[in-house]
Amino acid sequence: MSSNIFNSFLASILISSMFIPAYALQSSILDPNLQVTFDYPDVIRQGDKFVLSSIIKSTADNISNITLTISSPELYTSNNTFKLIKLVKDSTFGNDFKLNIRSDTPDGEFVVNAQVTYFIKGMFDANPIKNTFTRAFHLNAQSKPIVGFEIQSPDNVFSGEPFSIKGTIKNHGAKAQNIQLNVYSSDIKLEGKKSFSLSTLDSGKNTDFEFVVNTSKDLDIPTHAIIHINGTYFDDLNKSYSIENSVNIFARHRGMLEVGDSNGLWIGNFFIAPVVGVGTIVSSAIGFFIFLWHFKNKKKTKKNKKTKS
């Protein structure tokens, strides 16, 4: 007996794990009396099973016999209809549709239709009146990973001093695996952290990365250089894909009278390098002391005038 209970429990866990919700996108359909909101993955792979979550909200009184039906040529399921006997005003009720996407569905978006039927009885109605409304929304099918990335880097760097190249990787397709990024330049020698790896990146997800590198201290002349970031990733069938991007920098020696951090500061998408010359600092200090001297003399003059009066 206990063995059967355990086997049933294990089976229920396995079945549930086949339909792990991965909500990322949302659509709403509504009329004056009802609102239905759908949550679903932003990317679905052909042949996979997924969950389309629905929440029905009533915005009027006396609504009954609600029927919600999901349909699309690209989807199939054992039950695409959900029925609710009654829903009072301002209350909600949820339901999960466990759906399969056909293996021969082409890559890209496809249309899903949602039809809602319900009855509502108005103050002067003898019997409840049937209402029906239909709305369409899109799901996105992708058979392979689609990985891309954006980069941020300073425009100007000092030779021999570290600087950051930051970025964000995003996957617009199916699950990606074994992502590898490398940074290099044909124009200038780079040292430091020049590689980044990530084991997996799920559909619709993103992650940040950073390279901390520096040019050679023995840089002869100021140099304009292109820095390349190349990468590879794999799908679950071990097929490889490549990605690349690049940034431009200007590398030079730090001047003898320059002080400050060559890395600067990131504010959103903007980079500020707070490098100033020693001459600027000295002149600012002199100006400050002159201001204090004038302020002190002005105060002393006012005091003398009060004493004489």
Side-chain angles (χ1 to χ4, degrees), residues 207-219:
T207 189
D208 296 330
F209 65 88
E210 181 180 15
F211 301 106
V212 180
V213 296
N214 60 271
T215 64
S216 172
K217 293 182 180 179
D218 304 324
L219 188 67

Side-chain angles (χ1 to χ4, degrees), residues 71-200:
S71 62
S72 173
E74 309 300 338
L75 300 175
Y76 63 95
T77 179
S78 59
N79 188 3
N80 67 334
T81 301
F82 169 69
K83 295 184 178 182
L84 187 62
I85 296 176
K86 190 175 182 179
L87 193 62
V88 299
K89 184 179 179 180
D90 294 329
S91 61
T92 59
F93 201 92
N95 177 67
D96 288 341
F97 291 96
K98 296 175 181 179
L99 305 172
N100 299 65
I101 180 171
R102 298 186 183 279
S103 300
D104 57 354
T105 299
D107 284 351
E109 291 188 339
F110 62 92
V111 175
V112 178
N113 294 307
Q115 184 182 78
V116 181
T117 301
Y118 65 93
F119 288 81
I120 182 170
K121 187 177 184 302
M123 184 179 299
F124 302 105
D125 296 326
N127 297 302
I129 298 174
K130 181 180 180 180
N131 285 335
T132 300
F133 65 99
T134 303
R135 301 289 187 274
F137 58 95
H138 291 89
L139 295 181
N140 184 17
Q142 295 294 339
S143 60
K144 60 184 180 181
I146 305 174
V147 175
F149 60 90
E150 300 175 350
I151 312 171
Q152 297 174 330
S153 75
D155 295 326
N156 300 281
V157 301
F158 292 131
S159 58
E161 298 187 17
F163 63 95
S164 292
I165 302 173
K166 299 180 179 181
T168 300
I169 309 173
K170 183 165 186 180
N171 183 10
H172 301 277
K175 184 177 181 179
Q177 302 184 70
N178 192 21
I179 300 171
Q180 302 285 336
L181 297 181
N182 294 282
V183 59
Y184 75 95
S185 176
S186 303
D187 304 316
I188 201 168
K189 183 180 179 182
L190 294 175
E191 302 170 347
K193 181 188 175 184
K194 297 186 290 182
S195 63
F196 172 84
S197 62
L198 184 67
S199 58
T200 59

Side-chain angles (χ1 to χ4, degrees), residues 6 77 122 130 170 192 222 237 249 283-284 309:
F6 175 77
T77 179
K130 181 180 180 180
K170 183 165 186 180
L237 300 177
I249 65 163
S283 62
S284 298
S309 60

Side-chain angles (χ1 to χ4, degrees), residues 216-266:
S216 172
K217 293 182 180 179
D218 304 324
L219 188 67
D220 295 329
I221 57 173
T223 303
H224 290 278
I226 300 175
I227 296 180
H228 302 276
I229 295 91
N230 286 0
T232 57
Y233 60 94
F234 295 80
D235 60 20
D236 57 1
L237 300 177
N238 210 32
K239 181 180 178 181
S240 65
Y241 304 85
S242 61
I243 47 176
E244 61 179 341
N245 208 333
S246 62
V247 292
N248 295 294
I249 65 163
F250 179 64
R252 64 180 178 87
H253 288 293
R254 182 191 288 272
M256 292 181 61
L257 299 179
E258 286 182 314
V259 296
D261 184 3
S262 63
N263 281 323
L265 177 68
W266 287 100

